[in-house]
Each structure stands twice: as C-alpha cells, then as structure tokens.
C-alpha cells in the first residue's frame, strides 16, 4: 500500500514514543459507565504478533457491562486491530453487541483494495473500496493519537484519515482540542483531548459528529486515561483504573 505524506509525518512523530505506545503485553484497565451509571469494565491490550512474516502488533479493546447493568442495557464490544510498527493498519475485526443490536465487521487489505464485511441477522454483506491511503479504525486511531508529538500540536489542529465504517470508507478527522481536566480515580488530571469527527452534509448543511473522544496523559507513556464512545444507544465512558 502506498504511503501518504500524512503517514510519513505520523511515523516521524511516533519514533520517539513508540516503545511506550506499542509495548508487547501492555494492558490498560478501565471502569466503564453508561451516562452517569457505573456499568462494567473495559481493557486495552497490546500484543506483539506477525503479519506476512514481519513484525506487527495486535491492539484489542474490550468493553463489557456487568450483570446488573446488563439487565438494563447489555453491551459486549470487542474491537481488534493489527498494525505494523509504524502504525499502518493491516486488519480490523469488530464484534458489537449493544442491547438487541449485534453485528460482526471486518476490514482487510490486498494492495489498494479494501475489503469490508458485515454480518448481521444471518446475512453477510461485503463491499470493496479502492484506496491508495491506509484505512484506519477506532482502535488504531487511539494508538495514532498516543504516538503524536504533543509539543508540536496546536489546539484545533486536524489530521484527516480514511476510516472504515461498516461497509464504507469515510473521510474523518482526528482533532486536537487542547488540554482538559478529567476526573480519574477520584482526582482531577490534566489531559490532552482528541476527538474523532465525522463530517456529513445534510440538506446542504455541514454537520459534524464526535464519534469518539480520547483523553491522553502527557507523560512518557502517553497513556489514554479516558475514552468516550458515542453508541447507537448513548455514550459509553471508559476511565483508567
């Protein structure tokens, strides 16, 4: 797959911190809430693996409601991404179970062809999109946000990405929204805030939706201390334990 200028810039930004960002065996545990209600647990794990004979990493995000919360709203989501050491995405798999909605999605690459699959209600649907640029997903973009050189960022700065969304590939933005304070483990922490934004034109007007918000601790490990997801049925918030 051809590398874009943006991919090269990200690789340069990442080189000084990648030992922390892509660390074999790293596991980050979170408490999960749905709105104001504590609902369950989440974890983000990174594991060294191989892809086409070369080194790669599997990054997995698991979010699950506990028994009590599941009686009201059950959620069991697994997002799994395989990326190369320079963060180029190579494969994505997602199992989403939110209330009575359930689907399995995958994204794979062969040259410039991007194959997308979605299985729901016993039906498998596929599509193929041509893209000379890497196609990212929510998990790989968390790692991209962690890899950026924070000293070079300006509030409002945007990075444009191709992002897999069901059976489509969309243009979305990762926007740096400056420093913010987040309550983590009972205390306020200063974090860097990033938002994944999806632009759409509806009735001739541009509408932008925040799909995910990432809060990153400005330390050597660039740990994501909070991740907010806009779901089909509300917002799930993960906070580091």
């Amino acid at each position: 797959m051809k590398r874009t200028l943006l991919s090269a810039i990200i690789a340069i930004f990442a080189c000084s911190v990648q030992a922390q960002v892509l660390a074999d065996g790293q596991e980050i545990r979170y408490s999960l809430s749905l709105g104001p209600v504590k609902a369950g647990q989440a974890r983000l794990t990174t594991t060294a693996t191989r892809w086409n004979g070369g080194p790669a990493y599997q990054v997995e995000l698991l979010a699950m409601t506990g028994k009590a919360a599941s009686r009201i709203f059950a959620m069991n989501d697994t997002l799994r991404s395989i990326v190369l050491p320079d963060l180029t995405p190579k494969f994505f798999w997602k199992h989403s179970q939110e209330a009575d909605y359930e689907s399995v999605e995958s994204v794979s690459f062969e040259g410039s062809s991007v194959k997308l699959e979605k299985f729901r209600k016993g039906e498998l649907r596929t599509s193929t999109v041509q893209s000379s640029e890497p196609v990212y997903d929510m998990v790989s973009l968390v790692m991209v946000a962690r890899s950026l050189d924070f000293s070079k960022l300006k509030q409002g700065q945007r990075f444009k990405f191709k992002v897999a969304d069901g059976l489509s590939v969309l243009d979305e933005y990762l926007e740096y929204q400056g420093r913010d304070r987040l309550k983590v483990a009972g205390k306020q922490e200063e974090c860097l805030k990033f938002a994944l934004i999806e632009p759409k034109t509806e009735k001739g007007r541009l509408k932008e939706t925040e799909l995910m918000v990432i809060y990153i601790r400005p330390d050597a490990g660039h740990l994501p201390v909070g991740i907010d997801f806009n779901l089909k049925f509300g917002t799930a918030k993960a906070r580091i334990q």
Side-chain angles (χ1 to χ4, degrees), residues 42-103:
R43 68 174 181 263
L44 181 68
T45 58
T46 304
T47 308
T49 186
R50 307 287 292 177
W51 186 263
N52 287 342
Y57 291 85
Q58 176 179 288
V59 185
E60 182 178 88
L61 178 65
L62 173 66
M64 179 183 295
T65 51
K67 290 183 179 180
S70 292
R71 296 190 186 101
I72 303 170
F73 181 93
M75 184 178 75
N76 186 351
D77 284 2
T78 302
L79 292 79
R80 186 176 299 140
S81 182
I82 294 179
V83 299
L84 299 184
D86 68 355
L87 295 175
T88 300
K90 302 306 295 181
F91 181 76
F92 176 64
W93 182 88
K94 175 183 177 182
H95 173 240
S96 179
Q97 183 178 1
E98 300 165 9
D100 59 353
Y101 179 92
E102 184 173 9
S103 68

Side-chain angles (χ1 to χ4, degrees), residues 5-63:
L5 176 61
L6 176 60
S7 298
I9 291 172
I10 289 172
I12 293 170
F13 280 168
C15 64
S16 64
V17 297
Q18 210 166 77
Q20 293 81 31
V21 170
L22 292 173
D24 182 29
Q26 184 179 71
E27 179 177 273
I28 307 171
R29 291 184 174 270
Y30 301 90
S31 59
L32 184 70
S33 63
L34 296 173
V37 180
K38 292 184 178 180
Q41 303 289 323
R43 68 174 181 263
L44 181 68
T45 58
T46 304
T47 308
T49 186
R50 307 287 292 177
W51 186 263
N52 287 342
Y57 291 85
Q58 176 179 288
V59 185
E60 182 178 88
L61 178 65
L62 173 66

